[in-house]
Amino acid sequence: MRVRFKLSLTLVSLAVICSLSIATLFSIWVLGTRTAKEVAGNLFTAVSNNVENQIVNLLDQSVANASLLASRKSDEAVFGDGLNASILPLYFSVLEQRKTIYSVYCGHLDGSFLQVIATRGREAVIASHKAPANTVWIVRTIYSKEGERLQNWSFLDEQKNVISQREEVNPNYDPRERPWFTNAIENGDPHLSDVYVYNSFKTPGITASRRMANGHGVVGVDLTLTELSEFVSRQFVSENGTAWIYDDKKRIIAFPKSFKSVHHLGDLTHIDDPSVDVILGKTKAKAQDYFKSVEKLSKYGAQFNIAVAAPLDDFRQSFITMERRVLNASIFCIILFIPIIYVFSARLTRRVSQLVEDAKRIEHLEFDMKSRKPSHIIEFYELENTFDEMRGSLALKTQDLATSQEKLNRLVELGIAMSAERDTEKVMEMVLLGAKELANADGGTLYKIEDRALSFKILRNDTLNVAMGGTSGVKPSFNPVALFNETGEENHKNVVSHTVHASESVNIIDAYNNEDFDFSGTKTFDDMNGYRSQSFLTVPLKPRGGDVIGALQILNAQDDAGEIVPFSPEIQRFVEALAAQAATILYNRELLDAQEKLMDSMIQLIAGAIDAKSPYTGGHCERVPELATMLARKACESNDGVLAEFQFKTEEEWREFSMGAWLHDCGKVITPEYVVDKATKLETIYNRIHEIRTRFEVLLRDAELVYYQGLLEGGEPDELKATLDKRKAKLIDDYAFVAECNVGGEFMAQEKLERLKTISEETWVRHFDIKLGLSHQEEPLYAGLPDAPAKEQLLEDKPYHFIERERDVRQQYEALEFKTPVPEYLYNRGEIYNLSIMRGTLTEEERFKITEHVMQTIAMLENLPFPAHMKRIPEYAGTHHETMIGTGYPRGLSAEDLSIPARIMALADIFEALTASDRPYKKAKTLSEAVKILSFFKKDKHIDGEVFDLFLTSGVYREYAERFLLPDQIDEVDISQYLS
């Protein structure tokens, strides 16, 4: 069969056009389906991840809260209304911080139960518990009393004041029979219950429970899952897409708001919706038209399924529209161009084929094309010329885009690098070098505002091989640029100062032809160095929302051939972006440095004030950090024993340790000077021995009055005189004994205590009202004393000697796990009580007051909101009186509880105290004496043996001595006898 060439070529062309159209439509369909699945998959993954993160976050919060509450070591039994329970404030705090928690409770093995419910204004909750309308908190307790189980309901307002209470007998609720209790008490791990609907307000929830640390009960936390449905509804899937959360029993936990008739924990299989059918695998015929994702989540024993489904057509609409347009265009072209194809088929085929080939090369970013002969057809000639112009334009744009992308990537890299760098000098150097690189500039300078002038900080010039500032090690030698002239007016003659004052960039094409600014200094520099400064770009360093802090100037931009060119607007924008980024980083770094310096100064100020408070602690808070830091540096270098793994890796860790050392005695602000300085047993603010001496004086006067009264009555003078002399001698001897007891000593024998008791029973008569001249605080202490005249004992512990505590600190100290016992009274100034002190001059109350400085140090510091990298400051500051065997205070920690920095602090505190020469109450120890005493501490395991050995072998003891000890304290020490 033969056909004409034109017809055959036309038919072939027609077939080709039809084939291309079909192939295009098929490609669009395949690409659309694939893209729709990819988009849907990515979107569904993101939605599933969002929902999963929300679920995990809610569950982790509830488990974390249950674990936190369960970690409290408390054997406190539940009794009565429970409003005085020590754990109750923590329950309230958890409910206030976590709005998704419905209630917190604990059940004990004895069947007692304590629960706190937050109504959060829910009328259903208030009504279900028969609570008053304004109830905010509900406290429920179950306990046993005289063989009968009672249930108490307490309804509290927002300020936690009791509105009303209700008590019930023999409640049918026993926590020990509940799944949350039995599951948690058996294995001790956190446990989550199945999802269920709270009867009180018909909302789905879940219970997290965990066994208490002491094993005596279980703590539970009820978490509402209402937010999940709201969160799921906010996740946009597609126009017809849905997202669901259900458990392994196909019970609905969260669903889209568009499903009005669906309720929580309903059966998912009863939902009449195509997307649900696809999720459940019911409709296989429609499965290919839908895209679904089902993710399983298992957390603490709870099972969740996160399902997302949507029709694929929701993601293919644009491709469907494109298919229709391509089909219509193909039909139109076939009808329109059949005659033209018939006539010019050969030429068209050749020209079009070449253009298609060129287009494919452009698609692969290949812009070098083969030469072609010009077409005699104007349309094709213009088409080919336009194609060539487009190719050239695309090549240029692609090259510009690649260059811009490269510079943008470099700008991002510089921003990340600058943000990570802590050294201000290096940041400034990175800014200048980055600007030079972005602009391909030959040189540049970075200025900072200092003392009303612009100081040269970094200077670089590649041609002249000049490098000053930064890491070069060479300080810039140029004089600063004045910001103001002699009359105080702004300096706008210099381009850099003008940029700072005007807060705007200045782009100069050629400095030698510029008349706006004075470049005489630049020209002089050029003449001296054989250089030619031409193009300049000066940009202010201005942080966002702040004032200008300096300027960045680069010069002599170069093209690829090395010729000097002006700075383009595109380059200027990149440099301005870099300058703004750098200015913010420098400004923030300066702020952080200033804040750190201020904090360090405040801490040192507090430490100095504590040292200045008493002449007996002068310089202690300053020298201990020095010694501790010296020893810590040696510990970081050690590779032996427990010190091998110890290392401060960052400046933040060193600063954290230093601050802890400076604050180690900050609690001494509460210690009265007269307690620390107490030299005799009766001393308070003054020595009360004089009060007792006055009473002896009264008794002597009374004896003399008896003598003279006897003479007047005709008594025997010699006999009366002998009686007086005997009485006087006894009084003098008794007073001397009392005064001797007042001085104190190493030990007071039992016979002295007996004699002191006998002397105290001596009486004298008070003739004046002791309740006159008192302050309003003293009056209650003296209220019960008899009116004058009154017979009183010579020595006595009177009511006004017992000073009550204004607040009971026991609960605070127990919460902080302090083991140091707290005396009943703040002070006991009883005369017999004080004179009977067995050793020294301090009573139990006064010794506790001195010891309490460490407890207050910990209490104050643990209450401060230290950032994460400073969280160990309370540990470093509050453990220097602990020992390796648990005999220290206030927490009785042992070796396994004490970190290496804590052990270093203990040694530093003791050694400084032994060698301090500015304490008037004792002679400073020599270096050898102090080391020997420390060896006893090591032997008794009061300090760490390896830290003590390092203290000696590293030479820190002698280095510290040479810096802080008096010359006559420094003697030879044979350390070999003390090493392990």
Side-chain angles (χ1 to χ4, degrees):
M1 183 177 179
R2 300 286 187 272
V3 295
R4 293 183 179 275
F5 172 78
K6 293 181 180 181
L7 178 61
S8 62
L9 193 55
T10 300
L11 293 175
V12 170
S13 300
L14 182 60
V16 168
I17 293 174
C18 293
S19 299
L20 288 174
S21 299
I22 294 172
T24 301
L25 291 171
F26 180 77
S27 298
I28 292 174
W29 181 83
V30 171
L31 179 62
T33 302
R34 184 188 306 155
T35 302
K37 290 182 178 180
E38 291 177 355
V39 171
N42 294 336
L43 178 60
F44 287 10
T45 299
V47 171
S48 298
N49 289 341
N50 289 342
V51 176
E52 180 177 344
N53 290 338
Q54 182 72 3
I55 296 173
V56 170
N57 185 42
L58 288 174
L59 298 183
D60 283 348
Q61 285 181 10
S62 63
V63 170
N65 283 304
S67 299
L68 170 65
L69 298 176
S71 67
R72 287 288 298 253
K73 298 180 179 179
S74 175
D75 292 323
E76 183 179 11
V78 178
F79 191 80
D81 57 17
L83 297 180
N84 293 325
S86 62
I87 197 68
L88 202 60
L90 186 56
Y91 282 11
F92 285 127
S93 176
V94 169
L95 289 168
E96 289 170 345
Q97 293 177 10
R98 304 297 183 191
K99 303 302 182 183
T100 56
I101 295 179
Y102 166 60
S103 74
V104 178
Y105 46 85
C106 65
H108 294 267
L109 293 174
D110 61 358
S112 60
F113 180 72
L114 172 64
Q115 180 182 23
V116 179
I117 300 172
T119 65
R120 309 200 191 283
R122 303 185 184 99
E123 295 181 0
V125 175
I126 295 174
S128 67
H129 293 294
K130 301 178 182 179
N134 58 339
T135 299
V136 176
W137 306 98
I138 300 175
V139 179
R140 175 191 182 191
T141 61
I142 298 176
Y143 59 97
S144 298
K145 181 179 180 183
E146 297 179 358
E148 185 177 45
R149 284 179 61 80
L150 300 175
Q151 179 171 253
N152 185 280
W153 296 86
S154 298
F155 305 100
L156 314 180
D157 61 16
E158 186 175 3
Q159 287 73 36
K160 303 182 181 63
N161 298 320
V162 177
I163 303 173
S164 66
Q165 292 184 317
R166 184 174 75 245
E167 190 172 76
E168 301 170 357
V169 179
N170 293 327
N172 56 9
Y173 182 90
D174 190 333
R176 296 168 296 185
E177 300 173 355
R178 308 301 295 174
W180 61 267
F181 185 98
T182 57
N183 290 329
I185 202 69
E186 288 175 359
N187 54 34
D189 292 329
H191 180 268
L192 289 176
S193 68
D194 289 338
V195 179
Y196 60 97
V197 173
Y198 295 127
N199 291 329
S200 55
F201 58 111
K202 305 305 179 184
T203 297
I206 195 168
T207 296
S209 60
R210 186 162 192 175
R211 188 174 65 197
M212 294 180 180
N214 56 17
H216 293 175
V218 175
V219 172
V221 175
D222 286 341
L223 174 72
T224 60
L225 299 179
T226 308
E227 288 186 355
L228 277 181
S229 287
E230 297 175 358
F231 186 84
V232 167
S233 296
R234 291 196 300 268
Q235 304 303 304
F236 178 77
V237 178
S238 70
E239 183 177 354
N240 300 300
T242 58
W244 303 78
I245 302 176
Y246 59 93
D247 60 15
D248 288 347
K249 299 176 183 177
K250 301 297 189 298
R251 297 185 304 167
I252 300 172
I253 297 173
F255 55 89
K257 285 186 177 179
S258 56
F259 289 78
K260 304 296 183 181
S261 60
V262 177
H263 57 84
H264 291 103
L265 298 188
D267 193 340
L268 183 65
T269 59
H270 294 168
I271 304 301
D272 185 14
D273 184 78
S275 62
V276 175
D277 293 341
V278 170
I279 291 172
L280 298 177
K282 289 183 177 181
T283 309
K284 294 184 179 180
K286 291 186 177 180
Q288 62 183 356
D289 298 327
Y290 275 79
F291 191 89
K292 72 173 182 177
S293 171
V294 179
E295 299 289 341
K296 292 185 177 294
L297 172 62
S298 178
K299 194 75 173 177
Y300 304 110
Q303 303 291 331
F304 298 88
N305 294 282
I306 304 168
V308 186
L312 277 175
D313 284 346
D314 283 0
F315 304 93
R316 294 183 64 251
Q317 286 301 322
S318 58
F319 292 95
I320 293 174
T321 302
M322 188 183 300
E323 289 174 354
R324 293 172 181 169
R325 290 178 179 176
V326 169
L327 180 61
N328 293 335
S330 299
I331 295 173
F332 176 79
C333 289
I334 290 173
I335 296 174
L336 179 64
F337 290 110
I338 283 179
I340 300 174
I341 291 173
Y342 182 77
V343 177
F344 301 104
S345 57
R347 185 173 296 179
L348 284 175
T349 301
R350 185 171 61 253
R351 291 289 180 178
V352 170
S353 298
Q354 189 172 357
L355 287 176
V356 169
E357 183 180 351
D358 290 346
K360 290 180 179 180
R361 293 173 62 84
I362 291 175
E363 183 181 2
H364 294 87
L365 301 181
E366 297 177 8
F367 299 103
D368 296 331
M369 304 298 176
K370 298 179 180 179
S371 60
R372 68 171 73 89
K373 292 182 179 180
S375 173
H376 295 290
I377 301 174
I378 295 176
E379 290 79 7
F380 270 85
Y381 175 80
E382 293 177 348
L383 176 63
E384 291 169 349
N385 286 342
T386 302
F387 186 87
D388 290 339
E389 291 175 0
M390 179 191 69
R391 175 180 57 80
S393 177
L394 285 175
L396 182 60
K397 293 295 184 182
T398 301
Q399 182 179 359
D400 292 342
L401 181 61
T403 302
S404 298
Q405 184 66 40
E406 181 181 351
K407 293 185 181 298
L408 182 60
N409 291 339
R410 182 55 182 153
L411 184 63
V412 172
E413 292 172 359
L414 285 170
I416 295 173
M418 288 188 297
S419 298
E421 181 58 57
R422 294 183 57 84
D423 189 336
T424 303
E425 291 292 325
K426 290 184 180 179
V427 172
M428 291 190 292
E429 185 176 58
M430 293 168 66
V431 174
L432 180 59
L433 296 180
K436 282 177 74 278
E437 180 184 348
L438 288 172
N440 195 24
D442 186 47
T445 307
L446 189 140
Y447 303 83
K448 282 287 297 297
I449 296 178
E450 294 178 348
D451 299 329
R452 295 170 62 86
L454 287 166
S455 299
F456 287 78
K457 289 297 182 182
I458 311 290
L459 190 145
R460 295 288 186 275
N461 190 291
D462 297 339
T463 299
L464 298 177
N465 195 24
V466 174
M468 296 182 180
T471 59
S472 68
V474 180
K475 291 187 177 181
S477 57
F478 298 99
N479 294 326
V481 177
L483 286 172
F484 303 91
N485 57 27
E486 296 80 1
T487 61
E489 297 177 347
E490 294 180 351
N491 176 15
H492 287 276
K493 293 182 179 180
N494 189 288
V495 64
V496 180
S497 58
H498 169 78
T499 296
V500 171
H501 287 306
S503 188
E504 62 181 11
S505 300
V506 177
N507 192 336
I508 296 174
I509 297 176
D510 191 344
Y512 281 51
N513 296 326
N514 185 277
E515 299 179 355
D516 296 331
F517 303 103
D518 180 10
F519 283 98
S520 59
T522 301
K523 295 175 181 178
T524 301
F525 177 85
D526 288 352
D527 293 338
M528 293 175 60
N529 295 278
Y531 191 69
R532 173 65 163 89
S533 301
Q534 186 171 326
S535 56
F536 278 80
L537 176 60
T538 310
V539 179
L541 294 175
K542 182 179 181 180
R544 183 176 182 181
D547 298 326
V548 178
I549 63 173
L552 172 66
Q553 185 179 78
I554 51 178
L555 74 156
N556 287 1
Q558 303 173 88
D559 59 15
D560 295 337
E563 297 295 326
I564 305 301
V565 295
F567 291 94
S568 66
E570 292 79 8
I571 291 298
Q572 178 175 333
R573 286 194 293 271
F574 277 112
V575 174
E576 287 173 342
L578 175 63
Q581 212 173 1
T584 301
I585 292 171
L586 289 171
Y587 180 72
N588 291 340
R589 175 54 53 200
E590 289 177 353
L591 282 180
L592 288 174
D593 290 343
Q595 289 175 352
E596 289 181 355
K597 290 178 181 177
L598 176 61
M599 187 174 182
D600 290 343
S601 298
M602 290 295 295
I603 289 172
Q604 294 174 15
L605 179 67
I606 293 170
I610 293 170
D611 280 345
K613 179 183 175 185
S614 171
Y616 302 144
T617 59
H620 175 74
C621 292
E622 180 179 354
R623 290 190 290 266
V624 168
E626 291 289 340
L627 176 55
T629 301
M630 292 165 61
L631 189 52
R633 293 194 185 281
K634 295 298 182 181
C636 290
E637 299 170 3
S638 176
N639 295 317
D640 301 325
V642 297
L643 301 177
E645 302 298 326
F646 171 67
Q647 191 67 243
F648 284 149
K649 299 179 181 178
T650 65
E651 287 297 324
E652 285 84 357
E653 291 178 332
W654 277 108
R655 185 163 178 268
E656 179 184 37
F657 177 68
S658 177
M659 291 175 65
W662 275 98
L663 290 170
H664 80 282
D665 270 350
C666 67
K668 283 185 177 178
V669 295
I670 70 156
T671 308
E673 288 181 56
Y674 71 85
V675 174
V676 178
D677 302 346
K678 187 179 181 186
T680 63
K681 296 180 180 180
L682 290 174
E683 182 179 348
T684 54
I685 298 177
Y686 67 97
N687 193 345
R688 294 182 293 151
I689 190 66
H690 301 299
E691 293 183 13
I692 295 174
R693 179 182 53 77
T694 302
R695 297 174 201 158
F696 276 94
E697 296 279 4
V698 171
L699 290 177
L700 180 57
R701 298 300 184 275
D702 288 347
E704 290 175 346
L705 289 175
V706 171
Y707 167 73
Y708 288 112
Q709 186 68 34
L711 290 177
L712 290 175
E713 294 176 353
E716 177 60 38
D718 293 339
E719 184 180 341
L720 291 172
K721 185 68 167 67
T723 302
L724 173 61
D725 292 341
K726 181 179 179 182
R727 175 63 169 165
K728 181 177 181 180
K730 182 179 185 304
L731 290 174
I732 291 174
D733 184 60
D734 286 347
Y735 175 71
F737 172 75
V738 172
E740 178 187 356
C741 293
N742 185 42
V743 173
E746 289 298 322
F747 178 73
M748 191 170 182
Q750 184 64 33
E751 57 267 20
K752 288 187 176 183
L753 294 176
E754 295 295 335
R755 183 180 177 186
L756 191 66
K757 181 178 179 183
T758 302
I759 294 173
S760 69
E761 293 173 353
E762 183 85 43
T763 60
W764 66 289
V765 178
R766 172 174 55 82
H767 292 280
F768 294 90
D769 190 348
I770 198 172
K771 290 177 283 189
L772 295 178
L774 301 178
S775 68
H776 69 280
Q777 291 180 326
E778 293 178 295
E779 288 177 353
L781 299 176
Y782 288 78
L785 296 179
D787 296 330
K791 183 181 291 187
E792 296 184 351
Q793 290 185 199
L794 187 60
L795 301 174
E796 192 172 357
D797 295 342
K798 294 185 178 293
Y800 54 80
H801 288 147
F802 299 92
I803 310 301
E804 300 281 352
R805 296 182 180 277
E806 293 184 1
R807 63 184 183 90
D808 190 357
V809 299
R810 290 181 180 82
Q811 185 175 356
Q812 176 193 6
Y813 288 168
E814 287 175 1
L816 292 171
E817 300 181 357
F818 293 157
K819 297 180 180 178
T820 304
V822 181
E824 178 182 0
Y825 295 105
L826 180 62
Y827 297 111
N828 184 342
R829 294 172 179 162
E831 295 166 346
I832 300 175
Y833 177 74
N834 277 264
L835 288 170
S836 300
I837 295 172
M838 298 299 291
R839 286 182 175 84
T841 62
L842 297 177
T843 64
E844 176 190 358
E845 292 77 12
E846 291 162 342
R847 290 187 184 279
F848 175 78
K849 196 64 180 176
I850 292 176
T851 303
E852 193 181 17
H853 83 274
V854 185
M855 303 163 74
Q856 281 298 314
T857 294
I858 296 172
M860 289 189 291
L861 295 181
E862 289 191 351
N863 196 40
L864 293 177
F866 285 112
H869 64 281
M870 293 289 175
K871 64 182 179 180
R872 302 194 70 176
I873 287 178
E875 174 198 346
Y876 296 157
T879 52
H880 58 282
H881 285 295
E882 302 287 355
T883 69
M884 305 298 291
I885 54 176
T887 57
Y889 63 88
R891 286 173 170 157
L893 303 178
S894 53
E896 58 269 17
D897 304 315
L898 296 174
S899 63
I900 298 301
R903 302 180 190 190
I904 290 173
M905 281 296 303
L907 186 147
D909 185 69
I910 297 171
F911 187 76
E912 193 286 329
L914 291 173
T915 58
S917 57
D918 52 4
R919 304 190 182 184
Y921 65 90
K922 74 175 184 70
K923 181 180 178 181
K925 302 291 183 184
T926 64
L927 185 57
S928 60
E929 290 173 337
V931 170
K932 183 176 182 180
I933 294 173
L934 274 183
S935 70
F936 295 144
F937 278 87
K938 168 190 172 181
K939 181 179 180 181
D940 296 336
K941 295 186 178 180
H942 287 180
I943 60 174
D944 183 82
E946 293 190 45
V947 174
F948 174 71
D949 290 348
L950 177 68
F951 177 64
L952 297 180
T953 57
S954 65
V956 169
Y957 75 99
R958 182 160 293 279
E959 180 184 350
Y960 174 81
E962 291 171 353
R963 289 182 58 187
F964 296 103
L965 269 60
L966 299 176
D968 58 356
Q969 288 182 260
I970 304 176
D971 56 2
E972 291 300 322
V973 181
D974 180 13
I975 66 173
S976 61
Q977 60 181 314
Y978 303 123
L979 297 176
S980 301

